[in-house]
Amino acid sequence: MKVFLVDDEKGIVTGLKKLIGRYIPECEVVGEAYNGLEGARLIQDREPDIVITDIRMPHADGLEMIAMLKDAGCPAEFILLSGYADFDYARKGMQLGVRYYMNKPVEEEELRDCVCKVMNGIREDRDKLQEVDELKQEVRSRILESTLRDIIDAGGDNSVYVGEWLRMAGIPEEHTRFVCALLEFDGGSGTLAENRMNPVFRHVDRALNRFRGVYRFRYAGSQLAIVVAHGEDIESGEIARSLNRLKEAVFRELQLSMTAGIGMVKDKAVEISSSFEEARHALSYKVIQGARTVISYPEIRSLTGERRNVPEELIDKLEAALNNMDEEKCISLIGEIFCWMEAEFIASPAELQLLCLNIVLSSVRKMSFQQLQQNDFLGRHILSLEGISRFRTLERLEQWMVEVIQGIIAFNLEHNISKKKDIIAEVKKYVAEHYNESISLAELAARYFINPYYLSQLFKQKTGDTYLNFLAQVRINKAKELLEKTNLKVYEISQTVGYSDTQHFSRLFEKLTGCKPSEYRRNSNV
């Protein structure tokens, strides 16, 4: 640690330097001064950890020097050299926060004990500060993760909220383009244990350090979501090359196999959710492209555009039968679909596999990732390469698809996901009861085993409004009631209705009511 010495007697300064050099090797004397004014100037320049200073000195005594340094924000710890007659000075030193004293003449043992005590105190304080900083960083990371989850799951009908969220997260919106990626690591949800997350994050940051803003977080199970925000020169090809380098690095250094899906580059922040949905769709094609690949959405779009597609009418019927958990009807429709394939003379194994994948993905598009992953059978047959890629004939593929549909129905029955359930009514009831809690779209989707993107679309279709508008209106209505009937302060009401950021609450309140919370309270009391 760095030590600075201040005393108007040069002999004392020289003696202290020798004692410190001989008995306290952990310390380095970085400067010395012979009066308080000179000491104040040099200490601010040298930034020592510990200052040993006499009290009685010309120009400015030790206490005046300490007061000047404290006013300037100096974080050093001070040791006062005092005689038995300097009790009044020592008392003033205590008022300045000085905790350590030594009597003149200074003995080597007293010096060593006092300086070691100061060093231990400094280390303890620094450890506490580091803990606080780490806690703040964790809180910021949680807020950012929650914000990004809301953005990628909200859909394009929430432009007002997306802009507000980006401001809260400190993500620039103007002159910025956005692109999303979804990474999946082989080995199931246990692959990315907490102790492995930080090394993976460091590799992500290193691979994408060319871009202005890179925001990454665990999305679900063994999946990581990435949102890249950059200037107008961002290109999807450059993202793909960066993720290919990342894929090789995590395999080489962490022994992790990674597959990635990349959405399209978007010019507007409200399209972030669209880019993420494209990335998720691209990732699902790993059953065709293979594991340890980087798959971009434009690549998939061109791939599917060149091939024949199963009639949408059959897909819709299969989806409806699956929703009603009508196993017999599902099997019958799968038979019709494969009759169509045979009539179309589709014989290429790759094309058969791709068509089957499209059918399954279309049929389960309402399901959440958690719903697919929680069921061991579905995880093996939809989320891994063990299923579709090894079946190369119509008969085997048809059998595989029947097993997948039966597995989905069995899962729904096991978890009491009734075909009669009105998901939107249940969501609205849950929000009305839990409006003061953190209830993001992703959390609701997981609760009701439904794809968050689909839930967003279904909510808008059923109610004519977005989920986020509905949640905000429920909270603001409760806030209005509290403003009218209680004396709670605005920040207390903000927290009571579920908003930890009072400024965000006030802006939203004004947006939805036309006046600030304080104005609303005054008007309601007139």
Side-chain angles (χ1 to χ4, degrees):
M1 291 199 181
K2 298 187 293 184
V3 177
F4 196 96
L5 306 174
V6 188
D7 198 300
D8 59 338
E9 297 184 41
K10 291 188 178 182
I12 291 179
V13 171
T14 302
L16 288 171
K17 285 175 66 175
K18 288 180 180 179
L19 290 174
I20 290 171
R22 184 178 303 165
Y23 297 108
I24 316 176
E26 308 98 301
C27 289
E28 173 194 4
V29 177
V30 296
E32 55 197 63
Y34 302 99
N35 64 69
L37 287 178
E38 181 187 26
R41 178 176 57 81
L42 291 175
I43 287 167
Q44 291 182 73
D45 180 60
R46 307 289 170 84
E47 298 182 343
D49 302 297
I50 302 169
V51 175
I52 301 176
T53 179
D54 190 17
I55 293 179
R56 298 176 182 271
M57 292 185 296
H59 304 305
D61 65 28
L63 296 178
E64 291 170 334
M65 180 190 75
I66 291 172
M68 286 187 282
L69 289 168
K70 292 283 187 182
D71 289 342
C74 175
E77 287 287 352
F78 296 91
I79 300 175
L80 280 175
L81 297 175
S82 62
Y84 289 110
D86 293 330
F87 179 75
D88 287 340
Y89 285 101
R91 186 167 53 190
K92 292 178 183 176
M94 292 177 189
Q95 293 171 354
L96 289 169
V98 178
R99 297 180 288 173
Y100 306 99
Y101 299 85
M102 288 190 297
N103 293 316
K104 288 184 177 182
V106 178
E107 300 292 336
E108 60 190 52
E109 186 175 349
E110 182 185 12
L111 175 66
R112 185 175 61 248
D113 291 347
C114 187
V115 171
C116 286
K117 190 182 296 183
V118 175
M119 288 194 295
N120 289 335
I122 291 173
R123 292 188 186 108
E124 289 176 5
D125 290 343
R126 287 177 178 174
D127 287 344
K128 290 176 183 176
L129 284 174
Q130 184 175 349
E131 288 179 11
V132 171
D133 287 342
E134 288 173 355
L135 181 60
K136 287 180 179 178
Q137 183 60 41
E138 183 178 349
V139 170
R140 282 194 293 267
S141 296
R142 298 289 183 189
I143 291 173
L144 179 61
E145 178 178 330
S146 175
T147 300
L148 289 172
R149 280 183 180 280
D150 285 337
I151 289 173
I152 63 178
D153 288 332
D157 296 322
N158 297 280
S159 57
V160 172
Y161 296 99
V162 169
E164 179 68 20
W165 284 331
L166 288 173
R167 284 191 292 275
M168 289 172 63
I171 301 174
E173 185 175 6
E174 294 184 1
H175 309 296
T176 303
R177 303 180 79 193
F178 301 90
V179 63
C180 295
L182 186 60
L183 314 183
E184 185 169 85
F185 295 85
D186 291 350
S189 57
T191 303
L192 288 184
E194 286 302 319
N195 62 338
R196 304 195 76 179
M197 291 294 292
N198 286 334
V200 172
F201 283 160
R202 285 195 291 270
H203 278 286
V204 171
D205 294 341
R206 195 176 303 140
L208 298 169
N209 64 1
R210 133 105 177 85
F211 302 101
R212 188 172 67 204
V214 177
Y215 310 94
R216 70 285 187 278
F217 59 95
R218 186 198 291 271
Y219 183 66
S222 61
Q223 292 186 330
L224 292 185
I226 298 176
V227 178
V228 176
H230 195 62
E232 297 178 359
D233 59 337
I234 188 172
E235 295 180 2
S236 58
E238 194 171 3
I239 297 289
R241 289 189 291 274
S242 297
L243 292 184
N244 267 303
R245 290 194 294 272
L246 171 64
K247 176 192 69 175
E248 299 302 327
V250 296
F251 184 75
R252 181 178 62 252
E253 299 183 29
L254 303 177
Q255 290 74 55
L256 290 174
S257 294
M258 182 197 98
T259 307
I262 306 173
M264 296 182 68
V265 177
K266 304 296 182 181
D267 295 325
K268 300 176 182 177
V270 293
E271 298 177 303
I272 291 175
S273 61
S274 175
S275 180
F276 184 77
E277 192 63 21
E278 291 163 356
R280 181 157 45 192
H281 188 70
L283 180 62
S284 68
Y285 275 75
K286 82 172 190 176
V287 296
I288 301 297
Q289 305 290 73
R292 291 198 68 216
T293 53
V294 175
I295 310 162
S296 66
Y297 183 75
E299 173 188 351
I300 294 305
R301 195 170 58 171
S302 63
L303 179 68
T304 55
E306 295 169 1
R307 299 178 185 272
R308 290 162 285 183
N309 292 317
V310 176
E312 189 66 28
E313 179 186 356
L314 287 176
I315 298 294
D316 290 342
K317 287 181 178 179
L318 179 61
E319 183 180 7
L322 186 59
N323 287 342
N324 291 322
M325 289 186 280
D326 187 339
E327 184 175 326
E328 185 177 343
K329 182 66 173 177
C330 286
I331 294 172
S332 172
L333 285 164
I334 290 170
E336 286 187 47
I337 289 169
F338 276 82
C339 284
W340 175 86
M341 289 187 192
E342 191 171 7
E344 290 290 313
F345 301 103
I346 299 173
S348 162
E351 189 168 0
L352 287 171
Q353 291 167 3
L354 181 59
L355 281 169
C356 288
L357 174 65
N358 285 333
I359 294 165
V360 172
L361 291 176
S362 297
S363 301
V364 300
R365 58 191 167 192
K366 297 179 181 178
M367 298 172 68
S368 67
F369 179 83
Q370 290 89 343
Q371 184 175 351
L372 295 176
Q373 198 173 49
Q374 283 181 19
N375 183 279
D376 185 55
F377 175 85
L378 297 180
R380 290 198 312 273
H381 285 72
I382 296 179
L383 303 178
S384 77
L385 288 170
E386 294 179 18
I388 193 171
S389 62
R390 56 189 176 138
F391 301 136
R392 305 174 69 82
T393 66
L394 274 172
E395 292 78 14
R396 295 295 304 279
L397 280 166
E398 183 174 358
Q399 180 185 355
W400 172 83
M401 187 170 293
V402 167
E403 289 176 354
V404 168
I405 296 299
Q406 288 174 329
I408 293 170
I409 292 173
F411 180 91
N412 288 348
L413 291 171
E414 179 185 349
H415 289 78
N416 297 317
I417 303 175
S418 169
K419 62 183 179 182
K420 301 295 185 182
K421 180 184 287 185
D422 185 344
I423 294 291
I424 301 306
E426 293 203 16
V427 166
K428 292 172 73 173
K429 181 175 182 291
Y430 183 83
V431 169
E433 295 172 352
H434 301 269
Y435 62 88
N436 59 331
E437 300 174 11
S438 172
I439 42 177
S440 69
L441 196 62
E443 290 166 330
L444 276 178
R447 172 176 290 276
Y448 293 104
F449 293 105
I450 190 169
N451 181 299
Y453 188 83
Y454 178 77
L455 176 58
S456 175
Q457 305 305 307
L458 182 64
F459 197 96
K460 179 72 179 294
Q461 176 187 334
K462 294 282 188 180
T463 67
D465 201 0
T466 68
Y467 163 70
L468 293 169
N469 280 340
F470 173 76
L471 173 61
Q473 197 61 64
V474 169
R475 287 173 164 175
I476 295 305
N477 286 342
K478 184 62 180 179
K480 288 161 66 175
E481 180 183 332
L482 293 172
L483 286 166
E484 293 170 4
K485 298 180 179 179
T486 73
N487 293 321
L488 291 172
K489 294 179 170 54
V490 171
Y491 78 87
E492 293 174 318
I493 291 175
S494 172
Q495 293 174 351
T496 300
V497 300
Y499 292 110
S500 57
D501 187 324
T502 305
Q503 290 184 336
H504 170 60
F505 163 72
S506 296
R507 286 194 296 267
L508 188 59
F509 189 96
E510 186 173 8
K511 190 183 298 291
L512 295 180
T513 66
C515 62
K516 293 180 172 61
S518 55
E519 295 172 349
Y520 182 87
R521 171 171 275 166
R522 284 197 300 271
N523 294 337
S524 65
N525 292 330
V526 173

